Amino acid sequence: MASLHLCLGPIPGHRPPKFRSKFRSARCAGDLQALFNRIAPVYDNLNDLLSLGQHRIWKRMAVSWSAPKEGDSVLDVCCGSGDLAFLLSEGVGTNGKVVGLDFSKEQLMVASSRQHSRLMSCYKNIEWVEGAALDIAFSDCYFDAITIGYGLRNVVDIHKAMAEMNRVLKPASKASVLDFNKNMNPFGTSFEEWMIDNIVVPVASGCGLTTEYKYLKSSIQEFLTGKELEKLALQTGFSTATHFEIGGGLMGNLVATR
């Protein structure tokens, strides 16, 4: 039976989390955690509305690039309300295992509720774990595939997050990283910022989430380009890395092989 772990004790294959004492990072992570807890109730509906449903296509592409197989053990980092985890579950089947990891308890509660409302038997193989992308509490070489959708841009240490994914991934296995694309084309950048200012934020405002979605533009501006993401993957131990622009260049997907 599926379960939701909220730091209640050790889980097989887990490592105990390390203590982190950097106050500035902890404060930033805490702010982000509070933000995602606040948007959890409307997160799925906003994604559908703001992308006109296209995010479902991009997420299927991301999962496909991670190459999950029947019987695999796979991880979705920053799983949110579970979209990628559900797709991974379909890929690994009833004999496989999916872990959905997120630091937002509210997002995990939404994911767990969605899981219990669905009928496909494979969804029973999903385990929701509250935890941090910077200290993934599983042993080395544990997973056959990893996905992270719209999460890498929001962690306080991108290098550490990539290194952690590399550590828990089995040799020759793939990590698939879906996120907004930091477009280097001036027209593309202007269009992306116009979309955020004139569509995303006003729509979010209608849900009382103006402040929560205003951060989006700055987070994209501070994110890495596709080439920089490829370089980062190699620096953190991956053997190959390729970044694909999708969604007309508005989105990007890094595929990195350990």
Side-chain angles (χ1 to χ4, degrees):
M1 185 173 180
S3 58
L4 173 61
H5 287 280
L6 302 177
C7 301
L8 299 178
I11 302 170
H14 279 226
R15 296 181 304 113
K18 300 174 184 176
F19 175 76
R20 299 191 180 279
S21 60
K22 292 185 178 180
F23 173 77
R24 184 171 180 274
S25 295
R27 181 183 62 187
C28 292
D31 290 345
L32 286 167
Q33 187 175 32
L35 183 153
F36 282 99
N37 280 336
R38 289 194 299 273
I39 67 176
V42 297
Y43 186 67
D44 290 319
N45 289 337
L46 277 177
N47 281 344
D48 278 328
L49 183 61
L50 294 172
S51 73
L52 300 178
Q54 294 298 297
H55 73 101
R56 300 186 183 279
I57 298 173
W58 304 327
K59 288 171 180 175
R60 285 193 175 276
M61 294 173 70
V63 167
S64 178
W65 269 315
S66 74
K69 302 182 298 298
E70 180 75 26
D72 278 354
S73 293
V74 299
L75 171 68
D76 182 28
V77 182
C78 302
C79 67
S81 58
D83 279 355
L84 291 172
F86 290 122
L87 293 172
L88 285 168
S89 176
E90 295 169 17
V92 302
T94 54
N95 294 322
K97 177 69 177 178
V98 180
V99 173
L101 177 75
D102 204 285
F103 69 172
S104 169
K105 181 178 179 179
E106 297 301 321
Q107 291 277 11
L108 291 174
M109 294 298 287
V110 172
S112 182
S113 176
R114 294 177 69 197
Q115 179 184 24
H116 291 302
S117 69
R118 299 186 175 199
L119 300 178
M120 288 184 66
S121 59
C122 65
Y123 293 154
K124 295 179 181 179
N125 68 11
I126 306 174
E127 181 177 36
W128 308 108
V129 177
E130 184 179 4
L134 302 186
D135 190 14
I136 300 173
F138 285 85
S139 55
D140 296 358
C141 306
Y142 191 87
F143 292 104
D144 298 289
I146 294 177
T147 58
I148 176 170
Y150 303 103
L152 189 64
R153 174 175 41 85
N154 294 310
V155 300
V156 296
D157 188 337
I158 294 177
H159 187 281
K160 176 62 175 171
M162 286 296 297
E164 276 293 275
M165 286 189 281
N166 179 74
R167 180 185 64 78
V168 299
L169 195 61
K170 292 179 181 178
S173 296
K174 298 180 185 299
S176 180
V177 182
L178 171 66
D179 217 309
F180 283 90
N181 180 43
K182 184 175 181 180
N183 205 314
M184 298 308 293
N185 181 295
F187 174 78
T189 301
S190 297
F191 178 69
E192 192 168 63
E193 292 180 352
W194 180 90
M195 288 276 292
I196 293 170
D197 291 337
N198 295 278
I199 298 178
V200 175
V201 173
V203 170
S205 297
C207 300
L209 297 171
T210 304
T211 302
E212 285 78 359
Y213 274 80
K214 273 188 175 179
Y215 91 99
L216 186 58
K217 183 162 69 173
S218 62
S219 73
I220 296 172
Q221 290 171 343
E222 295 167 5
F223 196 39
L224 302 181
T225 65
K227 291 297 181 184
E228 289 170 337
L229 284 169
E230 290 175 349
K231 183 177 179 180
L232 173 64
L234 298 178
Q235 289 174 342
T236 52
F238 289 92
S239 61
T240 64
T242 306
H243 184 267
F244 300 94
E245 290 190 355
I246 59 178
L250 291 174
M251 304 295 150
N253 202 110
L254 174 72
V255 182
T257 303
R258 189 181 192 281

